[in-house]
């Protein structure tokens, strides 16, 4: 009777010990895997740097020849987002475009161009007779045509980035790359790239090291100056 009880007790102890070891093993796996970075992340500092580069690339104040409009009125801000779901990452950029400001700037540029060219010839619009005024007015682009030009220009911008334009949100968005998150090695392996943006700069199977501290996520660059810091949205 005692032997039977001892065997039962031994089985119970072994079963309990196995359960504890299993729990420790699962906890260890979770620990070595690292913390999940699932969620939506945004990088204000990275977006600011990208925005400045975009303005410089667009030509800055030199975009408008005759009027005093600036490109900042049209390209109003940029955003960088890293979205992670089930350890699948997608890095997205967005450029906000004010189409109404674009329309006004182009219309003013056209008016200023006509005024300047007439001035070079020694005239003002008001001094012209009705026939010449009619000829000049006929050569101007209508509001409809200018809005059409604005729409085409923004769509061309989206196409050049292999992205899309959401008129309601006023933003051109494009995926830069997609990747797999490895929590054990704390890396993001690039699985897909946007050829229009990353050509010569980024390719599939490349890795980004990352680190996470609280609500801060850092994609490591070649140096600390190249690090891209994200905040949890």
């Amino acid at each position: 009777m005692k032997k039977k009880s001892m065997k039962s007790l031994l089985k119970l102890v072994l079963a309990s010990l196995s359960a504890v070891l299993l729990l420790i093993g699962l906890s260890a796996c979770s620990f070595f895997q690292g913390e999940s970075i699932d969620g939506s992340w945004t990088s204000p500092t990275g977006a600011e740097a990208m925005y400045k580069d975009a303005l410089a690339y667009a030509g800055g104040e030199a975009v408008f020849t005759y009027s005093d409009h600036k490109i900042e009125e049209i390209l109003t801000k940029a955003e960088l987002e890293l979205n992670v779901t089930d350890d699948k990452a997608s890095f997205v950029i967005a450029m906000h475009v004010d189409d109404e400001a674009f329309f006004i700037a182009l219309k003013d540029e056209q008016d200023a161009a006509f005024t300047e060219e007439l001035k070079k010839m020694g005239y003002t619009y008001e001094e012209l007779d009705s026939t010449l005024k009619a000829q000049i007015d006929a050569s101007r682009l209508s509001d409809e045509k200018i809005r059409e030009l604005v729409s085409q220009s923004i769509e061309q911008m989206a196409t050049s980035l292999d992205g899309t334009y959401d008129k309601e949100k006023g933003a051109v968005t494009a995926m830069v790359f997609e990747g797999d998150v490895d929590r054990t090695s704390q890396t993001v392996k690039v699985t897909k790239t946007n050829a229009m943006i990353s050509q010569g700069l980024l390719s599939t199977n490349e890795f980004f090291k990352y680190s996470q501290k609280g609500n801060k996520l850092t994609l490591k660059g070649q140096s600390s100056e190249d690090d891209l810091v994200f905040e949890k949205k």
Side-chain angles (χ1 to χ4, degrees):
M1 186 71 177
K2 286 184 178 181
K3 288 183 179 180
K4 187 174 181 181
S5 297
M6 185 60 69
K7 286 182 179 180
S8 297
L9 180 61
L10 183 59
K11 286 182 179 180
L12 180 62
V13 170
L14 289 174
S16 299
L17 182 59
S18 296
V20 171
L21 289 174
L22 178 61
L23 180 61
I24 292 174
L26 290 173
S27 298
C29 287
S30 176
F31 174 78
F32 286 119
Q33 276 187 347
E35 188 178 352
S36 170
I37 62 170
D38 278 16
S40 294
W41 303 82
T42 184
S43 177
T45 54
E48 183 180 358
M50 187 183 80
Y51 179 62
K52 289 180 179 178
D53 287 344
L55 294 181
Y57 182 79
E61 295 181 4
V63 171
F64 299 98
T65 305
Y66 298 96
S67 63
D68 59 358
H69 288 285
K70 298 179 181 179
I71 192 65
E72 291 96 319
E73 299 170 35
I74 299 165
L75 301 179
T76 58
K77 68 175 181 176
E79 290 181 290
L80 291 180
E81 288 190 359
L82 182 67
N83 301 305
V84 185
T85 305
D86 296 331
D87 291 336
K88 299 291 183 181
S90 178
F91 185 70
V92 178
I93 62 172
M95 185 64 69
H96 288 257
V97 185
D98 189 328
D99 59 349
E100 187 61 25
F102 198 175
F103 164 74
I104 292 171
L106 287 184
K107 186 173 182 179
D108 288 349
E109 179 75 1
Q110 176 177 239
D111 291 342
F114 275 101
T115 299
E116 182 64 25
E117 292 306 313
L118 283 172
K119 182 179 179 181
K120 289 178 181 179
M121 293 185 288
Y123 296 100
T124 65
Y125 179 79
E126 290 72 20
E127 294 173 340
L128 301 177
D129 60 33
S130 58
T131 302
L132 288 174
K133 283 183 179 179
Q135 290 176 354
I136 289 176
D137 292 342
S139 64
R140 295 177 189 269
L141 291 177
S142 66
D143 287 1
E144 183 181 357
K145 285 292 184 181
I146 294 175
R147 290 191 184 280
E148 188 178 315
L149 182 59
V150 166
S151 180
Q152 290 174 349
S153 298
I154 299 175
E155 289 292 348
Q156 186 176 353
M157 175 184 172
T159 300
S160 69
L161 295 173
D162 194 18
T164 58
Y165 171 53
D166 188 326
K167 182 176 175 60
E168 186 174 337
K169 293 182 179 179
V172 171
T173 60
M175 178 273 292
V176 179
F177 72 82
E178 294 177 354
D180 293 333
V181 177
D182 187 325
R183 283 188 270 162
T184 302
S185 61
Q186 290 195 311
T187 59
V188 178
K189 179 183 178 182
V190 178
T191 57
K192 182 180 178 181
T193 63
N194 181 330
M196 303 296 287
I197 298 175
S198 60
Q199 189 173 16
L201 300 173
L202 184 66
S203 60
T204 56
N205 297 322
E206 284 192 36
F207 289 86
F208 284 100
K209 289 284 293 182
Y210 72 82
S211 63
Q212 182 181 5
K213 187 175 182 180
N215 287 329
K216 299 284 187 180
L217 176 69
T218 303
L219 284 186
K220 299 291 186 177
Q222 291 183 343
S223 68
S224 58
E225 294 180 353
D226 298 323
D227 289 353
L228 200 56
V229 180
F230 290 86
E231 301 173 358
K232 199 68 174 286
K233 291 184 71 176

